[in-house]
Amino acid sequence: MKELKMKAKEDLRIRKGHCWIFSNELETVDTSIPAGTLVRVMDSDDKVLGTGFFNPHSLISVRLLQRGDEPLPKDFIYQNLDAAYSFRKQFGLRKYGRMCYGEADFLPGLVIDKYGDYLVIDILTAGMEAFKEDIIKAAEKIFKPKGIMFKNNNPFRTLENLPLEDTITGEVPAETEIEENGIKYLVPLNGGQKTGFYFDQRENREFLKPFFKEKIVLDLYSYIGSFGITAALNGATAVWGVDSSAPAVEYANKNVALNGLKSDTCLYHKDDAERMLSAMVKEELPQQPDMVLLDPPAFVKNRKNLPQAVNLYVKLNRMALEGLKSGGLLATSTCSHHITREIFVDIIKQAAAKANKRVVMIELRGQAKDHPVLLGMPETEYLHFALLQVR
């Protein structure tokens, strides 16, 4: 096994639990080593730090799989994936949910979502791509799916010099029905956002149930309607949902009907979220919402555009708070690891100040338990959620 050496004093972050070694932290980057090769990483005193995947073409040169000098088990894919599933089963997650969350499950660059009899897998790194056959064998043994879709369209694959091409093993339908928190959803596996559904907000949707009673709810960036339908089924008097994607809106309205709701109670349409917030601030909507659900996409693609993205998040939250009267509620989120919890809270503070509103935070939350946060690696914590009330 090839050995790579870190520069002096560059190993402190790794010893504290981080799994990524950047190219500028290595003494040399051997470009003759093929991407995805297993390597052993040494510190500047030639002590073994661990074993990981190497990619000479990526800013993240090594993604550690195992620490110390013990040899990596030949069946490490199966062992770690089986342990990841056992972890989820503690919380009763067997049929639907995220069954593997990359570095947090010690399988960097591997994401697996389970939709009943079907798996949707994202492989984001050259190392995991090299073990694709092992992943298939392990997944088939552990989950016994009818089919596996490799949804290989994530931009991160481009950074690893990997092709953007979906593949299917077995049979996978274009859509499937799932259940979350007692609510049914028809999910687009082919062509939907991410793997098809956002399991990371499961516990936040459940948390909000008591707050929906007798509320007029504006559901922005609604995707296929999971937040708004939860509201309509838990006492909201009216739900208006908005998304810029016509296919997403179509699925949202299908899910309204699937759960026995009527369009005069819960209705989705294609529109721009900022335009709706502007209309809300000007009181131009048919009825003034007294609760806003704001779950925008990850505007932060990289650290360079963080300031621009923060300004946009501040703007959206400021407009929502401006349009809410005293007692109104705002459930707001961000979903990029570049937005830390501290930055997220500061976004809310700035928005409240610019809206000239007194705002209290009812609760500050994060991602669901099937998206565990690995201590020592802050990048695994990416979802921040807050419920606010205008006072």
Side-chain angles (χ1 to χ4, degrees):
M1 187 180 290
K2 292 276 188 178
E3 293 183 352
L4 300 177
K5 195 171 185 177
M6 295 193 73
K7 295 175 182 177
K9 299 181 181 179
E10 295 286 0
D11 60 325
L12 181 60
R13 180 174 48 82
I14 302 304
R15 293 187 184 281
K16 288 182 177 180
H18 209 281
C19 300
W20 293 348
I21 298 171
F22 296 94
S23 57
N24 62 357
E25 295 172 332
L26 294 172
E27 284 192 351
T28 59
V29 176
D30 189 345
T31 57
S32 69
I33 302 175
T37 300
L38 287 170
V39 296
R40 182 170 292 175
V41 181
M42 321 294 288
D43 67 11
S44 59
D45 295 322
D46 291 323
K47 294 179 181 177
V48 180
L49 288 170
T51 303
F53 292 132
F54 176 65
N55 188 341
H57 310 297
S58 174
L59 178 63
I60 304 171
S61 287
V62 181
R63 297 172 189 263
L64 287 179
L65 291 158
Q66 181 171 285
R67 297 177 182 279
D69 57 4
E70 290 293 319
L72 189 68
K74 289 184 179 180
D75 63 344
F76 75 94
I77 295 285
Y78 175 82
Q79 284 190 24
N80 289 2
L81 189 54
D82 190 50
Y85 190 33
S86 296
F87 174 79
R88 273 91 179 153
K89 288 189 284 189
Q90 293 180 93
F91 314 116
L93 299 177
R94 296 171 180 268
K95 198 169 183 181
Y96 310 114
R98 178 144 296 179
M99 299 300 154
C100 181
Y101 176 46
E103 280 78 356
D105 286 306
F106 316 113
L107 290 168
L110 180 63
V111 172
I112 300 179
D113 282 355
K114 191 171 189 289
Y115 294 89
D117 292 327
Y118 310 103
L119 301 178
V120 179
I121 298 180
D122 270 349
I123 293 180
L124 307 175
T125 60
M128 280 298 160
E129 186 77 13
F131 282 85
K132 185 175 178 178
E133 292 305 314
D134 291 321
I135 293 168
I136 292 172
K137 290 176 183 177
E140 288 179 341
K141 186 175 181 180
I142 294 167
F143 302 110
K144 299 176 175 58
K146 290 181 179 178
I148 300 173
M149 174 182 286
F150 286 89
K151 203 162 190 181
N152 296 331
N153 58 7
N154 195 300
F156 284 114
R157 286 178 62 86
T158 304
L159 300 177
E160 294 274 318
N161 281 351
L162 296 173
L164 302 178
E165 183 181 7
D166 292 354
T167 60
I168 293 177
T169 298
E171 294 184 5
V172 179
E175 60 186 29
T176 190
E177 186 179 305
I178 69 168
E179 185 174 318
E180 178 196 83
N181 301 332
I183 301 172
K184 296 177 182 179
Y185 299 102
L186 188 63
V187 175
L189 300 182
N190 187 10
Q193 297 175 20
K194 299 295 185 179
T195 68
F197 192 72
Y198 291 87
F199 291 114
D200 52 4
Q201 292 274 27
R202 176 196 305 106
E203 293 166 20
N204 295 329
R205 285 188 278 268
E206 179 70 15
F207 162 75
L208 285 178
K209 284 182 177 181
F211 297 93
F212 290 129
K213 190 175 181 180
E214 297 180 356
K215 297 290 192 303
I216 297 172
V217 178
L218 180 60
D219 182 13
L220 300 175
Y221 303 100
S222 56
Y223 187 41
I224 62 171
S226 50
F227 270 107
I229 290 169
T230 302
L233 290 170
N234 286 275
T237 55
V239 176
W240 305 325
V242 170
D243 198 280
S244 61
S245 165
V249 168
E250 183 179 350
Y251 269 96
N253 285 318
K254 285 181 180 178
N255 287 324
V256 168
L258 181 64
N259 286 280
L261 295 167
K262 295 181 179 180
S263 60
D264 58 352
T265 302
C266 186
L267 180 64
Y268 289 85
H269 66 278
K270 183 179 182 297
D271 210 326
D272 179 72
E274 284 192 54
R275 195 188 78 81
M276 292 296 290
L277 284 171
S278 178
M280 178 184 171
V281 171
K282 296 173 184 176
E283 298 189 4
E284 294 174 349
L285 297 177
Q287 287 181 284
Q288 196 69 0
D290 41 32
M291 185 171 187
V292 176
L293 304 172
L294 185 60
D295 187 20
F299 296 131
V300 192
K301 302 304 179 184
N302 53 61
R303 195 172 294 277
K304 288 181 181 179
N305 69 2
L306 179 59
Q308 180 183 358
V310 165
N311 288 337
L312 182 52
Y313 283 124
V314 170
K315 178 182 179 182
L316 292 171
N317 282 278
R318 184 259 301 165
M319 293 173 75
L321 292 171
E322 278 183 353
L324 288 169
K325 292 182 168 57
S326 180
L329 296 171
L330 169 62
T332 183
S333 305
T334 62
C335 58
S336 170
H337 74 259
H338 294 294
I339 302 284
T340 63
R341 178 156 291 203
E342 182 181 14
I343 294 173
F344 177 63
V345 172
D346 189 59
I347 285 169
I348 294 170
K349 288 179 180 178
Q350 288 188 57
K354 291 185 176 184
N356 195 28
K357 293 290 183 79
R358 293 189 303 174
V359 178
V360 296
M361 183 179 292
I362 295 174
E363 189 149 344
L364 182 62
R365 301 171 60 85
Q367 60 222 47
K369 296 182 187 67
D370 53 356
H371 295 64
V373 176
L374 179 63
L375 295 181
M377 191 159 184
E379 291 85 354
T380 58
E381 183 180 21
Y382 70 97
L383 179 65
H384 303 291
F385 173 96
L387 179 63
L388 314 170
Q389 185 172 49
V390 174
R391 299 285 287 273

